[in-house]
Amino acid sequence: MTVTLATPLSQLVLSPGGAVTVSGLTWQHYQLLLTELGEQRASRLAYDKGVLEIRLPSKLHEIINRLLSKIIFTLAEELGRDIVDMGSTTWNRQDLDQGIEPDSCFYLQNADRIQGLNPEIPADLPPDLAIEVDIANASDNKLVIYQALGIPELWLYQKGQIEILHLQSSGFVASDRSSAFPSITPEQLQTWITMRETATDLAVVRAVRQFCQSEE
């Protein structure tokens, strides 16, 4: 199938918070585009069986994403957990005809299996925890990809609220606490996010540390 656009995908200009969806692509189209765009870019891609979404995160999107990443790293440090931060690494599965770039993702339970600066990661070893921040675009189509990849826990921020989702046989199900960090609830995460409206990242990190120390 030939896909013809007025502007090549690699030359599309998106405003922060904007997104474009293109249908009718093959896996080869998707891989060629990833190669052409390279790794040094702000845009994030999600590919699901011929449908490609390209989005450019907004300022708010990145503030929430980076805040949640700092919270996760601080929790791991305070609770004595190993952690490997994989950022927005591209996760591709040709056998599934799907791929995605999480806003952030981490190995926790399997951190000891990811060694070195450029580790070989088995296809059947997805990240233990991923972050998906949805400011303006529906995340439902991305949940299907996360499910297919077998990512067990997803922190989903949308419509100003944070949810903790766990992967079940039927799909993702909202949970009242994290599997990676059993003391953490969506309400506690929401408290820290709300705190960031009038405080700095460092103030939130200090609050996370105090919370962990009070749980000891």
Side-chain angles (χ1 to χ4, degrees):
M1 179 182 295
T2 300
V3 179
T4 303
L5 296 174
T7 303
L9 286 176
S10 59
Q11 297 179 22
L12 287 175
V13 177
L14 294 174
S15 300
V20 61
T21 301
V22 181
S23 301
L25 300 182
T26 65
W27 180 261
Q28 289 71 29
H29 286 130
Y30 170 51
Q31 292 303 302
L32 286 171
L33 181 61
L34 283 173
T35 300
E36 185 175 354
L37 290 175
E39 296 183 358
Q40 303 302 316
R41 54 183 166 83
S43 60
R44 304 214 175 102
L45 277 61
Y47 175 81
D48 183 21
K49 300 175 182 177
V51 179
L52 176 69
E53 180 190 277
I54 305 174
R55 60 190 171 104
L56 187 63
S58 66
K59 177 174 63 177
L60 175 59
H61 180 287
E62 285 301 86
I63 287 174
I64 299 297
N65 172 41
R66 290 175 184 273
L67 179 66
L68 289 173
S69 295
K70 291 182 179 74
I71 289 171
I72 288 170
F73 208 90
T74 304
L75 287 170
E77 181 183 15
E78 287 294 321
L79 298 174
R81 299 285 305 280
D82 280 337
I83 186 169
V84 175
D85 185 347
M86 297 299 294
S88 57
T89 297
T90 304
W91 301 95
N92 287 327
R93 287 281 299 274
Q94 185 174 4
D95 58 325
L96 300 173
D97 198 24
Q98 291 172 306
I100 199 165
E101 295 170 346
D103 289 310
S104 295
C105 60
F106 307 84
Y107 283 99
L108 292 152
Q109 293 92 323
N110 291 300
D112 61 336
R113 299 177 62 182
I114 310 300
Q115 301 296 323
L117 296 178
N118 189 25
E120 289 293 331
I121 301 176
D124 61 351
L125 190 66
D128 299 307
L129 173 61
I131 295 171
E132 179 67 31
V133 178
D134 175 12
I135 300 298
N137 304 39
S139 295
D140 293 347
N141 58 330
K142 297 187 187 70
L143 294 185
V144 173
I145 305 175
Y146 285 117
Q147 178 182 349
L149 293 174
I151 294 177
E153 183 169 342
L154 182 68
W155 289 8
L156 174 62
Y157 179 88
Q158 61 178 350
K159 298 180 180 178
Q161 298 293 317
I162 185 79
E163 285 187 291
I164 296 175
L165 304 180
H166 290 158
L167 183 59
Q168 306 291 340
S169 59
S170 59
F172 279 104
V173 177
S175 176
D176 62 356
R177 62 187 57 248
S178 169
S179 290
F181 305 105
S183 62
I184 300 303
T185 64
E187 291 77 17
Q188 182 59 64
L189 291 176
Q190 193 70 43
T191 296
W192 289 328
I193 293 171
T194 301
M195 181 181 178
R196 179 60 178 78
E197 295 178 1
T198 56
T200 64
D201 288 356
L202 185 55
V204 175
V205 167
R206 286 171 177 156
V208 176
R209 294 192 190 283
Q210 290 173 358
F211 172 86
C212 292
Q213 292 163 10
S214 70
E215 292 288 301
E216 294 178 354

